């Protein structure tokens, strides 16, 4: 379900962002810091969590009935139909390590070279995150899309006003996609992690979580919400 992927993306970002910032210096390659940037200021930490949450929805762009396909109404639905056809159906090419890497690298190059393209991508990720956590009007796809657009614009403008930069965009996108793939490997269907090599991975082997069932709705979703809130408090707490 969309909210589980989005919340897990936000949680992982909040958990690993400080480590990723310090890693280039620790490895003796400060020039690698261009892939992360100064993401530890409160506004950028929050923006990174939102973007990573949205990116955690991207692999399901291959599913016309998924949350991501309903985010911006007919636009994302048509895009989803196209991705579904090109990728070979649900849980194929987009649910792989290769897809995560390509999305991360592509987002970094886009953000580095084309500011307008970067802003469009950020807006899309914000919209996906908002839709995934359930903000909208039940049963009203078009109305929900309008609400989403308004909230997305407001949040993007807020980030802009607070001086958020996006040198870390590619990293957040790649991490979000990878979190989705790992999450789906916990389900009974698994994922073709090494696509185009055939074979689906399930982690761990003895757990087959069914998406949309009681465990995800009654335990996993609430647990992830608590983790995200706790990490927000921990990261934003003055040192």
């Amino acid at each position: 379900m969309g909210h589980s992927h989005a919340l897990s993306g936000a949680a992982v970002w909040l958990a690993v962002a400080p480590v990723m910032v310090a890693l280039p210096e620790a490895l003796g390659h400060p020039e690698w810091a261009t892939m992360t940037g100064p993401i530890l200021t409160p506004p950028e930490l929050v923006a990174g969590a939102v973007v990573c949450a949205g990116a955690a929805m991207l692999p399901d762009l291959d599913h016309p009935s998924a949350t991501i396909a309903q985010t911006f109404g007919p636009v994302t639905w048509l895009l989803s139909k196209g991705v579904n056809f090109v990728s070979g159906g649900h849980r194929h090419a987009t649910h792989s390590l290769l897809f995560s890497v390509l999305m991360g690298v592509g987002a970094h190059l886009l953000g580095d070279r084309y500011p307008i393209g970067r802003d469009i991508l950020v807006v899309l990720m914000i919209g996906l995150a908002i839709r995934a956590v359930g903000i909208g009007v039940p049963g009203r796809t078009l109305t929900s899309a309008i609400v989403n657009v308004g909230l997305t614009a407001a949040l993007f403008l807020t980030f802009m006003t607070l001086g958020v930069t996006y040198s870390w965009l590619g990293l957040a996108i790649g991490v979000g996609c990878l979190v989705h793939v790992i999450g789906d490997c916990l389900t009974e269907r698994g994922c073709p992690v090494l696509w185009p090599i055939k074979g689906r991975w399930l982690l761990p082997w003895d757990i087959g979580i069914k998406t949309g069932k009681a465990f995800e709705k009654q335990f996993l979703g609430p647990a992830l919400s608590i983790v995200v809130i706790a990490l927000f408090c921990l990261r934003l707490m003055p040192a």
Side-chain angles (χ1 to χ4, degrees), residues 82-146:
V83 173
N84 176 271
F85 177 78
V86 173
S87 66
H90 184 45
R91 290 207 188 188
H92 285 83
T94 64
H95 286 65
S96 67
L97 179 61
L98 178 61
F99 179 79
S100 301
V101 172
L102 290 177
M103 290 301 297
V105 173
H108 176 72
L109 294 176
L110 178 68
D112 189 50
R113 300 177 183 181
Y114 305 101
I116 294 179
R118 174 203 63 203
D119 291 345
I120 292 174
L121 184 58
V122 170
V123 166
L124 177 60
M125 294 304 103
I126 294 174
L128 292 179
I130 290 174
R131 180 66 178 86
V133 297
I135 299 177
V137 181
R140 302 281 185 174
T141 302
L142 184 57
T143 304
S144 294
I146 294 173

Side-chain angles (χ1 to χ4, degrees), residues 97-194:
L97 179 61
L98 178 61
F99 179 79
S100 301
V101 172
L102 290 177
M103 290 301 297
V105 173
H108 176 72
L109 294 176
L110 178 68
D112 189 50
R113 300 177 183 181
Y114 305 101
I116 294 179
R118 174 203 63 203
D119 291 345
I120 292 174
L121 184 58
V122 170
V123 166
L124 177 60
M125 294 304 103
I126 294 174
L128 292 179
I130 290 174
R131 180 66 178 86
V133 297
I135 299 177
V137 181
R140 302 281 185 174
T141 302
L142 184 57
T143 304
S144 294
I146 294 173
V147 171
N148 189 301
V149 169
L151 292 175
T152 297
L155 195 52
F156 177 75
L157 292 175
T158 299
F159 289 154
M160 182 183 298
T161 302
L162 294 174
V164 171
T165 61
Y166 295 99
S167 56
W168 43 263
L169 180 61
L171 195 60
I173 297 292
V175 168
C177 290
L178 184 59
V179 168
H180 182 116
V181 173
I182 294 173
D184 275 358
C185 283
L186 292 170
T187 66
E188 59 182 359
R189 292 183 57 192
C191 287
V193 177
L194 297 181

